[in-house]
Amino acid sequence: MSEFSLKALPLAGLFSVQHKRFEDQRGHFARLFCEGSLSAFGSEFHIRQINHSCTREKGSVRGLHYQNANAPEAKLITCLRGEVWDVAVDLRPDSETFLHWHAEHLKAGDGRSLLIPAGFAHGFQTLSEDAELLYLHSADYAPEHEGGLSVNDPRLAIAWPLPVNNLSARDSSHPALDQHFAGVRL
């Protein structure tokens, strides 16, 4: 049996990853990443960068961030402490779900991760105090190729579970989409 099972989500290429947990009298063990086991993702996922965040205040939102076509990246997101409402927005203009979003409730100990393909924006809202996330990225961060979407964009109409608060200055400055937004063509 594989150490993972992948569940396809409503947006093509987006997966919920369930990690198999091994338990005994000492505690538990779970593999969070295995390149070979994630081959069902549809393309190779090489880890180029690992990030860790801790967001202290419940209701805080980080995002929505993406890398454009000059520096595309996939992400594997795992909640290590607390709970988050993790959001992915499809920015691929040729996709049937262009500008649609999907969210997953991730919480520490649930054995789940969210596998987000290149061409998506990502953000999350904390549902608890001191929420910690581990991000595995398939590409190096390239700030000159980064973009962001407004978390309150009426065109996206993301139904955040709590009032949005504690946005960074950078995240609160992301513009709403206009008719010229072409997405991320990979």
Side-chain angles (χ1 to χ4, degrees):
M1 178 177 212
S2 174
E3 58 269 352
F4 304 121
S5 62
L6 270 66
K7 175 185 170 192
L9 297 172
L11 307 180
L14 185 65
F15 291 93
S16 174
V17 179
Q18 182 67 51
H19 307 275
K20 184 176 180 185
R21 190 171 164 151
F22 300 91
E23 295 192 46
D24 64 20
Q25 73 281 2
R26 300 167 294 174
H28 64 271
F29 170 86
R31 181 165 293 143
L32 296 181
F33 178 81
C34 178
E35 188 172 328
S37 295
L38 289 178
S39 61
F41 177 51
S43 64
E44 293 183 15
F45 189 111
H46 302 290
I47 296 175
R48 296 284 305 183
Q49 184 171 303
I50 300 173
N51 295 326
H52 173 254
S53 71
C54 179
T55 307
R56 299 193 195 307
E57 189 178 327
K58 182 178 179 177
S60 297
V61 173
R62 291 185 187 254
L64 298 159
H65 307 135
Y66 65 93
Q67 294 289 123
N68 68 33
N70 294 319
E73 71 174 352
K75 297 177 183 178
L76 182 66
I77 311 295
T78 305
C79 185
L80 300 177
R81 182 168 53 153
E83 300 178 56
V84 299
W85 200 67
D86 210 77
V87 177
V89 180
D90 190 349
L91 300 181
R92 303 167 300 177
D94 296 328
S95 170
E96 291 181 14
T97 56
F98 178 58
L99 298 182
H100 292 207
W101 61 271
H102 179 81
E104 288 287 311
H105 179 194
L106 300 177
K107 65 183 197 175
D110 69 0
R112 294 179 47 241
S113 298
L114 188 61
L115 185 58
I116 304 171
F120 277 65
H122 171 253
F124 66 90
Q125 183 172 51
T126 56
L127 302 178
S128 67
E129 306 293 322
D130 297 320
E132 291 188 45
L133 293 183
L134 181 71
Y135 311 69
L136 306 181
H137 297 260
S138 67
D140 296 333
Y141 174 59
E144 67 276 15
H145 298 295
E146 181 179 45
L149 306 175
S150 170
V151 300
N152 292 315
D153 191 317
R155 191 166 166 193
L156 298 175
I158 296 173
W160 298 100
L162 301 172
V164 172
N165 69 33
N166 204 20
L167 283 171
S168 70
R170 180 181 72 148
D171 288 351
S172 63
S173 71
H174 294 315
L177 295 169
D178 62 21
Q179 69 275 17
H180 302 294
F181 182 74
V184 176
R185 193 170 301 279
L186 301 173

